[in-house]
Coordinates of all heavy atoms in Angstrom, one line a residue:
R794 N -24.6 -4.8 -11.5 CA -24.9 -3.8 -10.5 C -24.0 -2.6 -10.8 O -22.8 -2.8 -11.0 CB -24.8 -4.4 -9.2 CG -24.5 -3.5 -8.0 CD -24.4 -4.2 -6.7 NE -23.1 -4.9 -6.4 CZ -22.0 -4.3 -6.0 NH1 -22.0 -3.0 -5.8 NH2 -20.9 -5.0 -5.8
Y795 N -24.5 -1.5 -10.8 CA -23.7 -0.2 -11.0 C -22.8 0.0 -9.8 O -23.2 -0.2 -8.6 CB -24.7 1.0 -11.1 CG -24.0 2.3 -11.0 CD1 -23.4 2.8 -12.1 CD2 -24.0 3.0 -9.9 CE1 -22.7 4.0 -12.1 CE2 -23.3 4.3 -9.8 CZ -22.7 4.8 -10.9 OH -22.0 6.0 -10.9
V796 N -21.6 0.4 -10.0 CA -20.6 0.7 -9.0 C -20.3 2.2 -9.0 O -20.5 2.9 -8.0 CB -19.3 -0.1 -9.1 CG1 -18.3 0.3 -8.0 CG2 -19.7 -1.6 -9.0
S797 N -19.8 2.7 -10.1 CA -19.3 4.1 -10.1 C -18.9 4.5 -11.5 O -18.6 3.7 -12.4 CB -18.0 4.2 -9.2 OG -17.5 5.5 -9.2
L798 N -18.8 5.8 -11.7 CA -18.2 6.3 -12.9 C -16.7 6.1 -12.8 O -16.2 6.3 -11.7 CB -18.5 7.9 -12.9 CG -17.8 8.6 -14.1 CD1 -18.5 8.3 -15.4 CD2 -17.9 10.1 -13.8
V799 N -16.1 5.6 -13.8 CA -14.6 5.3 -13.7 C -13.9 6.1 -14.9 O -14.5 6.3 -15.9 CB -14.3 3.8 -13.8 CG1 -14.8 3.1 -12.5 CG2 -14.9 3.2 -15.0
R800 N -12.7 6.4 -14.6 CA -12.0 7.3 -15.6 C -10.5 7.0 -15.5 O -10.0 6.5 -14.5 CB -12.3 8.7 -15.3 CG -12.0 9.2 -13.9 CD -12.7 10.4 -13.6 NE -12.7 10.7 -12.1 CZ -13.6 10.2 -11.3 NH1 -14.6 9.5 -11.7 NH2 -13.5 10.5 -10.0
G801 N -9.8 7.4 -16.6 CA -8.4 7.3 -16.7 C -7.9 8.3 -17.8 O -8.6 8.5 -18.8
G802 N -6.8 8.9 -17.6 CA -6.3 9.8 -18.5 C -4.8 9.9 -18.5 O -4.1 9.5 -17.6
T803 N -4.2 10.6 -19.5 CA -2.8 10.9 -19.6 C -2.6 12.1 -20.4 O -3.5 12.4 -21.3 CB -2.0 9.7 -20.2 OG1 -0.6 9.9 -20.1 CG2 -2.4 9.4 -21.6
V804 N -1.5 12.8 -20.2 CA -1.1 13.9 -21.0 C 0.2 13.6 -21.6 O 1.2 13.2 -20.9 CB -1.0 15.2 -20.2 CG1 -0.5 16.4 -21.0 CG2 -2.4 15.6 -19.6
R805 N 0.3 13.8 -22.9 CA 1.6 13.5 -23.6 C 2.0 14.7 -24.4 O 1.2 15.5 -24.8 CB 1.4 12.3 -24.6 CG 0.9 11.0 -24.0 CD 2.0 10.3 -23.2 NE 1.6 9.2 -22.5 CZ 1.8 7.9 -22.8 NH1 2.5 7.7 -23.9 NH2 1.4 6.9 -22.1
S806 N 3.3 14.8 -24.6 CA 3.8 15.9 -25.4 C 4.5 15.4 -26.6 O 5.0 14.3 -26.6 CB 4.7 16.9 -24.6 OG 6.0 16.2 -24.3
K807 N 4.5 16.2 -27.6 CA 5.2 15.8 -28.9 C 6.7 16.0 -28.7 O 7.2 16.9 -28.0 CB 4.7 16.6 -30.0 CG 3.2 16.3 -30.3 CD 2.7 17.2 -31.4 CE 2.1 18.5 -30.9 NZ 1.5 19.3 -31.8
H808 N 7.5 15.2 -29.4 CA 8.9 15.4 -29.4 C 9.3 16.4 -30.5 O 8.8 16.4 -31.6 CB 9.6 14.0 -29.8 CG 11.0 14.0 -29.8 ND1 11.8 14.4 -30.9 CD2 11.9 13.7 -28.8 CE1 13.1 14.3 -30.6 NE2 13.2 13.9 -29.3
L809 N 10.2 17.3 -30.2 CA 10.6 18.4 -31.1 C 11.0 17.9 -32.4 O 10.6 18.4 -33.5 CB 11.7 19.3 -30.5 CG 12.1 20.5 -31.3 CD1 11.0 21.4 -31.7 CD2 13.3 21.2 -30.6
G810 N 11.8 16.8 -32.4 CA 12.3 16.3 -33.7 C 11.1 15.7 -34.5 O 11.1 15.9 -35.7
S811 N 10.2 15.1 -33.9 CA 9.0 14.5 -34.5 C 8.2 15.7 -35.1 O 7.6 15.6 -36.2 CB 8.1 13.7 -33.6 OG 8.9 12.6 -33.1
D812 N 8.1 16.8 -34.3 CA 7.3 17.9 -34.8 C 7.9 18.5 -36.1 O 7.1 18.8 -37.0 CB 7.4 19.0 -33.7 CG 6.0 19.4 -33.2 OD1 5.0 18.7 -33.6 OD2 5.9 20.3 -32.4
I813 N 9.2 18.6 -36.1 CA 9.8 19.2 -37.3 C 9.6 18.2 -38.5 O 9.2 18.7 -39.6 CB 11.3 19.4 -37.1 CG1 11.5 20.5 -36.1 CG2 12.0 19.7 -38.4 CD1 12.9 20.7 -35.6
L814 N 9.8 16.9 -38.3 CA 9.6 16.0 -39.4 C 8.1 15.9 -39.8 O 7.8 15.8 -41.0 CB 10.0 14.6 -39.0 CG 11.5 14.4 -38.8 CD1 11.9 13.0 -38.3 CD2 12.3 14.6 -40.1
A815 N 7.2 16.0 -38.9 CA 5.8 16.0 -39.2 C 5.4 17.2 -40.0 O 4.6 17.1 -41.0 CB 4.9 16.0 -37.9
G816 N 5.9 18.4 -39.7 CA 5.7 19.6 -40.4 C 6.2 19.5 -41.9 O 5.5 19.9 -42.8
L817 N 7.4 18.9 -42.0 CA 7.9 18.8 -43.4 C 7.1 17.8 -44.2 O 6.8 18.0 -45.3 CB 9.4 18.2 -43.3 CG 10.4 19.3 -42.8 CD1 11.7 18.6 -42.6 CD2 10.5 20.4 -43.8
K818 N 6.7 16.7 -43.6 CA 5.9 15.7 -44.3 C 4.6 16.2 -44.7 O 4.1 16.0 -45.8 CB 5.7 14.4 -43.5 CG 4.9 13.3 -44.2 CD 4.9 12.0 -43.5 CE 4.2 11.0 -44.4 NZ 4.2 9.7 -44.0
S819 N 3.9 16.8 -43.8 CA 2.5 17.3 -44.1 C 2.5 18.4 -45.2 O 1.6 18.5 -46.0 CB 1.8 17.8 -42.8 OG 2.4 19.0 -42.3
S820 N 3.6 19.2 -45.2 CA 3.6 20.3 -46.2 C 4.2 19.9 -47.5 O 4.0 20.6 -48.5 CB 4.5 21.5 -45.6 OG 5.8 21.1 -45.5
T821 N 4.9 18.7 -47.5 CA 5.5 18.3 -48.8 C 4.7 17.1 -49.5 O 4.4 17.2 -50.6 CB 7.0 17.9 -48.6 OG1 7.1 16.9 -47.6 CG2 7.8 19.1 -48.2
V822 N 4.5 16.1 -48.7 CA 4.0 14.9 -49.4 C 2.6 14.5 -48.8 O 1.9 13.7 -49.5 CB 4.9 13.6 -49.3 CG1 6.2 13.9 -50.1 CG2 5.2 13.3 -47.9
G823 N 2.2 15.0 -47.7 CA 0.9 14.6 -47.1 C 1.0 13.2 -46.6 O 2.0 12.5 -46.6
G824 N -0.2 12.7 -46.1 CA -0.3 11.3 -45.6 C -0.2 11.2 -44.1 O -0.1 12.2 -43.4
E825 N -0.2 10.0 -43.7 CA -0.2 9.7 -42.2 C 1.1 10.1 -41.6 O 2.2 9.8 -42.2 CB -0.5 8.2 -42.0 CG -0.5 7.8 -40.5 CD -0.7 6.4 -40.3 OE1 -0.7 5.6 -41.2 OE2 -1.0 6.0 -39.1
I826 N 1.1 10.6 -40.4 CA 2.3 11.0 -39.7 C 2.4 9.9 -38.6 O 1.7 9.9 -37.5 CB 2.2 12.4 -39.1 CG1 2.0 13.4 -40.2 CG2 3.4 12.7 -38.2 CD1 1.7 14.8 -39.8
I827 N 3.2 8.9 -38.9 CA 3.2 7.6 -38.1 C 3.7 7.9 -36.6 O 3.1 7.3 -35.7 CB 4.2 6.6 -38.8 CG1 3.5 6.2 -40.1 CG2 4.4 5.4 -37.9 CD1 4.4 5.4 -41.0
G828 N 4.6 8.8 -36.4 CA 5.0 9.2 -35.1 C 3.8 9.7 -34.2 O 3.7 9.3 -33.0
Y829 N 3.0 10.5 -34.8 CA 1.8 11.0 -34.0 C 0.8 9.9 -33.8 O 0.1 9.8 -32.8 CB 1.2 12.2 -34.8 CG 1.9 13.5 -34.7 CD1 1.6 14.6 -35.4 CD2 3.0 13.6 -33.8 CE1 2.3 15.8 -35.3 CE2 3.7 14.8 -33.7 CZ 3.4 15.9 -34.5 OH 4.0 17.0 -34.4
T830 N 0.6 9.0 -34.8 CA -0.3 7.9 -34.7 C 0.1 7.0 -33.6 O -0.7 6.6 -32.7 CB -0.4 7.1 -36.0 OG1 -0.8 8.0 -37.1 CG2 -1.3 5.9 -35.9
K831 N 1.4 6.7 -33.4 CA 1.9 5.9 -32.3 C 1.7 6.6 -31.0 O 1.3 6.0 -30.0 CB 3.3 5.5 -32.6 CG 3.9 4.7 -31.5 CD 5.2 4.1 -31.8 CE 5.9 3.3 -30.6 NZ 5.1 3.0 -29.5
L832 N 2.0 7.9 -31.0 CA 1.8 8.7 -29.8 C 0.4 8.6 -29.2 O 0.2 8.4 -28.1 CB 2.2 10.2 -30.0 CG 2.0 11.1 -28.9 CD1 3.0 11.0 -27.8 CD2 2.0 12.6 -29.4
M833 N -0.6 8.8 -30.1 CA -2.0 8.8 -29.7 C -2.4 7.4 -29.3 O -3.2 7.2 -28.4 CB -2.9 9.3 -30.9 CG -2.6 10.8 -31.1 SD -2.7 11.9 -29.7 CE -4.5 12.0 -29.5
A834 N -1.9 6.3 -30.1 CA -2.3 5.0 -29.7 C -1.8 4.6 -28.3 O -2.5 4.0 -27.5 CB -1.8 4.0 -30.8
D835 N -0.5 5.0 -28.0 CA 0.1 4.7 -26.7 C -0.7 5.5 -25.6 O -0.9 4.9 -24.6 CB 1.5 5.2 -26.7 CG 2.4 4.3 -27.5 OD1 2.0 3.2 -27.9 OD2 3.6 4.7 -27.8
A836 N -1.1 6.7 -25.9 CA -1.9 7.5 -24.9 C -3.2 6.8 -24.7 O -3.7 6.8 -23.5 CB -2.0 8.9 -25.4
R837 N -3.9 6.3 -25.7 CA -5.2 5.7 -25.5 C -5.0 4.4 -24.6 O -5.8 4.2 -23.7 CB -5.8 5.3 -26.8 CG -6.6 6.4 -27.5 CD -7.4 6.0 -28.7 NE -6.6 5.3 -29.7 CZ -5.9 5.9 -30.7 NH1 -6.0 7.2 -30.8 NH2 -5.3 5.2 -31.6
E838 N -4.0 3.7 -24.9 CA -3.7 2.4 -24.1 C -3.5 2.8 -22.6 O -3.9 2.1 -21.7 CB -2.5 1.7 -24.7 CG -2.8 1.0 -26.0 CD -4.0 0.0 -25.9 OE1 -4.1 -0.8 -24.9 OE2 -4.9 0.0 -26.8
E839 N -2.7 3.9 -22.4 CA -2.4 4.3 -21.0 C -3.7 4.8 -20.3 O -4.0 4.5 -19.2 CB -1.4 5.4 -21.0 CG -1.0 5.9 -19.6 CD -0.3 4.8 -18.8 OE1 0.4 3.9 -19.4 OE2 -0.5 4.8 -17.5
A840 N -4.6 5.5 -21.1 CA -5.8 5.9 -20.5 C -6.7 4.7 -20.1 O -7.4 4.7 -19.1 CB -6.6 6.9 -21.5
L841 N -6.8 3.7 -21.0 CA -7.5 2.5 -20.7 C -7.0 1.8 -19.5 O -7.7 1.3 -18.7 CB -7.6 1.6 -21.9 CG -8.6 1.9 -23.0 CD1 -8.4 1.0 -24.2 CD2 -10.0 1.9 -22.5
F842 N -5.7 1.7 -19.4 CA -5.0 1.0 -18.3 C -5.5 1.7 -17.0 O -5.8 1.1 -16.0 CB -3.5 1.0 -18.4 CG -2.8 0.4 -17.2 CD1 -2.7 -0.9 -17.1 CD2 -2.2 1.3 -16.3 CE1 -2.1 -1.5 -16.0 CE2 -1.6 0.8 -15.2 CZ -1.5 -0.6 -15.0
R843 N -5.4 3.0 -17.0 CA -5.8 3.8 -15.8 C -7.3 3.7 -15.5 O -7.7 3.7 -14.4 CB -5.3 5.2 -15.9 CG -3.8 5.3 -15.9 CD -3.3 6.7 -16.0 NE -1.8 6.7 -16.0 CZ -1.1 7.8 -16.1 NH1 -1.6 9.0 -16.4 NH2 0.2 7.7 -16.1
L844 N -8.1 3.6 -16.6 CA -9.5 3.4 -16.4 C -9.8 2.0 -15.7 O -10.6 1.9 -14.7 CB -10.2 3.4 -17.7 CG -11.7 3.1 -17.7 CD1 -12.5 4.4 -17.9 CD2 -12.1 2.1 -18.8
D845 N -9.1 1.0 -16.2 CA -9.2 -0.3 -15.5 C -8.8 -0.3 -14.1 O -9.4 -0.9 -13.2 CB -8.3 -1.4 -16.3 CG -9.0 -1.8 -17.6 OD1 -10.1 -1.5 -17.8 OD2 -8.2 -2.4 -18.4
E846 N -7.7 0.4 -13.8 CA -7.2 0.5 -12.4 C -8.3 1.2 -11.5 O -8.6 0.8 -10.4 CB -6.0 1.4 -12.3 CG -4.7 0.7 -12.5 CD -3.5 1.6 -12.3 OE1 -3.6 2.8 -12.5 OE2 -2.5 1.0 -11.9
D847 N -8.9 2.3 -12.0 CA -9.9 3.0 -11.3 C -11.1 2.1 -11.0 O -11.7 2.1 -9.9 CB -10.3 4.3 -12.1 CG -11.2 5.2 -11.2 OD1 -10.9 5.3 -10.0 OD2 -12.1 5.8 -11.8
A848 N -11.5 1.3 -12.1 CA -12.6 0.4 -11.9 C -12.3 -0.6 -10.8 O -13.2 -0.9 -9.9 CB -12.9 -0.3 -13.2
Y849 N -11.2 -1.2 -10.9 CA -10.7 -2.2 -9.9 C -10.8 -1.6 -8.5 O -11.3 -2.2 -7.5 CB -9.4 -2.7 -10.2 CG -8.8 -3.7 -9.2 CD1 -9.2 -5.0 -9.2 CD2 -7.9 -3.3 -8.2 CE1 -8.8 -5.9 -8.3 CE2 -7.4 -4.2 -7.3 CZ -7.9 -5.5 -7.3 OH -7.4 -6.4 -6.4
N850 N -10.2 -0.4 -8.3 CA -10.2 0.3 -7.0 C -11.6 0.6 -6.5 O -11.7 0.7 -5.3 CB -9.3 1.5 -7.1 CG -7.8 1.2 -7.3 OD1 -7.4 0.1 -6.9 ND2 -7.1 2.1 -7.9
C851 N -12.5 0.7 -7.4 CA -13.9 1.0 -7.0 C -14.7 -0.2 -6.7 O -15.9 -0.2 -6.3 CB -14.6 1.8 -8.1 SG -14.0 3.5 -8.3
G852 N -14.1 -1.4 -7.0 CA -14.8 -2.7 -6.7 C -15.6 -3.2 -7.9 O -16.3 -4.2 -7.8
A853 N -15.4 -2.6 -9.1 CA -16.0 -3.1 -10.3 C -15.2 -4.2 -11.0 O -14.0 -4.2 -10.8 CB -16.2 -1.9 -11.3
N854 N -15.9 -5.1 -11.7 CA -15.1 -6.1 -12.4 C -15.4 -6.0 -13.9 O -15.0 -6.9 -14.7 CB -15.4 -7.5 -11.9 CG -16.9 -7.9 -12.0 OD1 -17.7 -7.2 -12.7 ND2 -17.2 -9.1 -11.5
A855 N -16.1 -5.0 -14.3 CA -16.3 -4.7 -15.7 C -16.6 -3.2 -15.9 O -17.0 -2.5 -15.0 CB -17.5 -5.5 -16.3
V856 N -16.4 -2.8 -17.2 CA -16.7 -1.4 -17.5 C -17.5 -1.4 -18.8 O -17.1 -2.1 -19.8 CB -15.4 -0.6 -17.7 CG1 -15.7 0.9 -18.1 CG2 -14.5 -0.6 -16.5
I857 N -18.6 -0.6 -18.8 CA -19.4 -0.5 -20.0 C -19.5 1.0 -20.4 O -19.2 1.9 -19.6 CB -20.8 -1.1 -19.8 CG1 -21.5 -0.4 -18.7 CG2 -20.8 -2.6 -19.6 CD1 -23.0 -0.8 -18.5
G858 N -19.9 1.2 -21.7 CA -20.1 2.5 -22.2 C -18.8 3.4 -22.2 O -18.9 4.6 -21.8
V859 N -17.7 2.8 -22.6 CA -16.5 3.6 -22.6 C -16.4 4.6 -23.7 O -16.8 4.2 -24.9 CB -15.2 2.6 -22.7 CG1 -13.9 3.4 -22.8 CG2 -15.2 1.7 -21.5
S860 N -16.0 5.8 -23.5 CA -15.7 6.7 -24.5 C -14.4 7.5 -24.3 O -13.9 7.5 -23.1 CB -16.9 7.7 -24.6 OG -17.0 8.5 -23.4
F861 N -13.9 8.1 -25.3 CA -12.6 8.8 -25.2 C -12.9 10.2 -25.6 O -13.7 10.6 -26.3 CB -11.6 8.2 -26.3 CG -11.1 6.9 -26.0 CD1 -11.7 5.7 -26.5 CD2 -10.0 6.7 -25.2 CE1 -11.2 4.5 -26.2 CE2 -9.5 5.5 -24.9 CZ -10.1 4.4 -25.4
S862 N -12.0 11.0 -25.0 CA -12.0 12.5 -25.3 C -10.5 12.9 -25.5 O -9.7 12.3 -24.8 CB -12.6 13.3 -24.2 OG -12.5 14.6 -24.4
S863 N -10.3 13.8 -26.4 CA -8.9 14.3 -26.5 C -8.9 15.8 -26.6 O -9.9 16.4 -27.1 CB -8.2 13.7 -27.7 OG -8.8 14.1 -28.9
T864 N -7.9 16.4 -26.0 CA -7.8 17.9 -26.0 C -6.4 18.2 -26.2 O -5.4 17.6 -25.7 CB -8.2 18.4 -24.6 OG1 -9.5 17.9 -24.2 CG2 -8.2 19.9 -24.5
T865 N -6.1 19.3 -27.0 CA -4.8 19.8 -27.2 C -4.6 20.9 -26.2 O -5.4 21.9 -26.1 CB -4.6 20.4 -28.6 OG1 -4.9 19.3 -29.5 CG2 -3.2 20.9 -28.8
L866 N -3.5 20.8 -25.4 CA -3.2 21.8 -24.4 C -2.0 22.7 -25.0 O -1.4 22.4 -26.0 CB -2.7 21.1 -23.1 CG -3.7 20.1 -22.6 CD1 -3.0 19.3 -21.4 CD2 -5.0 20.8 -22.1
D867 N -1.7 23.8 -24.3 CA -0.6 24.7 -24.7 C 0.7 23.9 -24.7 O 0.9 22.9 -24.0 CB -0.5 25.8 -23.7 CG -1.6 26.8 -23.8 OD1 -2.3 26.9 -24.9 OD2 -1.9 27.6 -22.8
G868 N 1.6 24.4 -25.5 CA 2.9 23.8 -25.6 C 3.0 22.5 -26.3 O 3.9 21.7 -26.1
G869 N 2.0 22.1 -27.2 CA 2.1 20.9 -27.9 C 1.7 19.7 -27.1 O 2.1 18.6 -27.5
M870 N 1.0 19.8 -26.0 CA 0.6 18.7 -25.2 C -0.8 18.3 -25.6 O -1.6 19.1 -25.9 CB 0.7 19.0 -23.7 CG 2.1 19.3 -23.3 SD 2.2 19.7 -21.5 CE 1.4 21.3 -21.5
S871 N -1.0 16.9 -25.5 CA -2.4 16.4 -25.8 C -2.8 15.6 -24.6 O -2.0 14.8 -24.1 CB -2.4 15.6 -27.0 OG -2.1 16.4 -28.2
E872 N -4.1 15.7 -24.2 CA -4.7 14.9 -23.2 C -5.6 13.9 -23.8 O -6.4 14.3 -24.7 CB -5.4 15.8 -22.2 CG -6.1 15.0 -21.1 CD -7.1 15.8 -20.2 OE1 -7.8 16.7 -20.8 OE2 -7.2 15.4 -19.1
I873 N -5.5 12.7 -23.4 CA -6.5 11.6 -23.8 C -7.1 11.2 -22.5 O -6.5 10.9 -21.5 CB -5.8 10.4 -24.4 CG1 -5.0 10.8 -25.7 CG2 -6.8 9.3 -24.7 CD1 -5.9 11.2 -26.8
Y874 N -8.5 11.1 -22.5 CA -9.2 10.8 -21.4 C -10.3 9.7 -21.7 O -10.9 9.8 -22.7 CB -10.0 12.1 -20.9 CG -10.5 12.1 -19.5 CD1 -9.6 12.2 -18.4 CD2 -11.9 12.0 -19.3 CE1 -10.1 12.2 -17.1 CE2 -12.4 12.0 -18.0 CZ -11.5 12.1 -16.9 OH -12.0 12.1 -15.7
A875 N -10.3 8.7 -20.9 CA -11.3 7.6 -21.1 C -12.2 7.6 -19.9 O -11.8 7.8 -18.8 CB -10.6 6.3 -21.2
I876 N -13.5 7.4 -20.2 CA -14.5 7.4 -19.1 C -15.5 6.3 -19.4 O -15.8 6.0 -20.5 CB -15.2 8.8 -19.0 CG1 -16.0 8.9 -17.8 CG2 -16.0 9.1 -20.2 CD1 -16.4 10.4 -17.4
G877 N -16.0 5.7 -18.4 CA -17.0 4.6 -18.5 C -17.8 4.4 -17.2 O -17.6 5.1 -16.3
T878 N -18.6 3.4 -17.2 CA -19.4 3.0 -16.1 C -18.9 1.7 -15.5 O -18.9 0.7 -16.2 CB -20.9 2.9 -16.5 OG1 -21.4 4.1 -17.1 CG2 -21.8 2.5 -15.3
G879 N -18.4 1.8 -14.3 CA -17.9 0.6 -13.6 C -19.1 -0.2 -13.1 O -20.0 0.3 -12.4
I880 N -19.1 -1.5 -13.3 CA -20.2 -2.4 -12.9 C -19.6 -3.7 -12.3 O -18.5 -4.0 -12.5 CB -21.2 -2.7 -14.0 CG1 -20.5 -3.5 -15.1 CG2 -21.9 -1.5 -14.5 CD1 -21.5 -4.1 -16.2
V881 N -20.5 -4.4 -11.6 CA -20.1 -5.7 -11.1 C -21.0 -6.7 -11.9 O -22.2 -6.6 -11.9 CB -20.3 -5.9 -9.6 CG1 -20.2 -7.4 -9.2 CG2 -19.4 -5.1 -8.8
V882 N -20.4 -7.6 -12.6 CA -21.1 -8.6 -13.4 C -21.0 -9.9 -12.6 O -19.9 -10.4 -12.2 CB -20.4 -8.9 -14.8 CG1 -21.1 -10.0 -15.5 CG2 -20.5 -7.6 -15.6
E883 N -22.2 -10.5 -12.3 CA -22.2 -11.7 -11.5 C -22.6 -12.9 -12.4 O -23.5 -12.7 -13.3 CB -23.2 -11.6 -10.4 CG -22.8 -10.5 -9.4 CD -23.8 -10.3 -8.3 OE1 -24.7 -11.1 -8.1 OE2 -23.7 -9.3 -7.6
E884 N -22.0 -14.0 -12.3 CA -22.4 -15.2 -13.1 C -23.7 -15.7 -12.7 O -24.1 -15.7 -11.5 CB -21.3 -16.3 -12.9 CG -20.0 -15.9 -13.5 CD -19.0 -17.1 -13.5 OE1 -19.5 -18.2 -13.6 OE2 -17.8 -16.8 -13.3
A885 N -24.5 -16.1 -13.7 CA -25.9 -16.6 -13.4 C -25.9 -18.0 -13.0 O -25.0 -18.8 -13.2 CB -26.7 -16.5 -14.7

């Protein structure tokens, strides 16, 4: 049974030291910037946690159709947003 649209998000900023090292790495050797990868992975996990909280608060016990969105904001901040459909799954 459908309950509600559910969502969760977070805004994270980059660390100045990481920014400098990332710039040096991308301009000299290329490759993955592990600090940014971790930042985005942590942000996705936080967005999912908040999505789960929203679903629980709406009375849902499951979420389907989850998608993510990310946006870069001014000042080196990034927003990660998760959205899905909260439902109640009943055992048959």
Side-chain angles (χ1 to χ4, degrees):
R794 157 178 78 82
Y795 169 81
V796 176
S797 177
L798 176 73
V799 293
R800 56 201 166 270
T803 186
V804 175
R805 302 285 173 108
S806 72
K807 297 178 266 184
H808 182 273
L809 180 59
S811 298
D812 240 6
I813 292 168
L814 291 173
L817 289 172
K818 180 171 183 174
S819 66
S820 65
T821 56
V822 295
E825 180 180 13
I826 302 170
I827 295 170
Y829 285 172
T830 300
K831 181 170 176 8
L832 174 76
M833 296 306 285
D835 291 346
R837 279 191 302 274
E838 289 301 315
E839 183 65 30
L841 279 175
F842 176 80
R843 292 180 180 177
L844 175 106
D845 285 346
E846 275 187 329
D847 193 36
Y849 177 80
N850 291 334
C851 291
N854 65 5
V856 179
I857 59 172
V859 175
S860 64
F861 289 94
S862 173
S863 64
T864 305
T865 302
L866 307 171
D867 288 338
M870 295 179 289
S871 295
E872 176 189 36
I873 299 290
Y874 196 72
I876 192 165
T878 302
I880 62 170
V881 171
V882 177
E883 297 176 13
E884 292 186 35

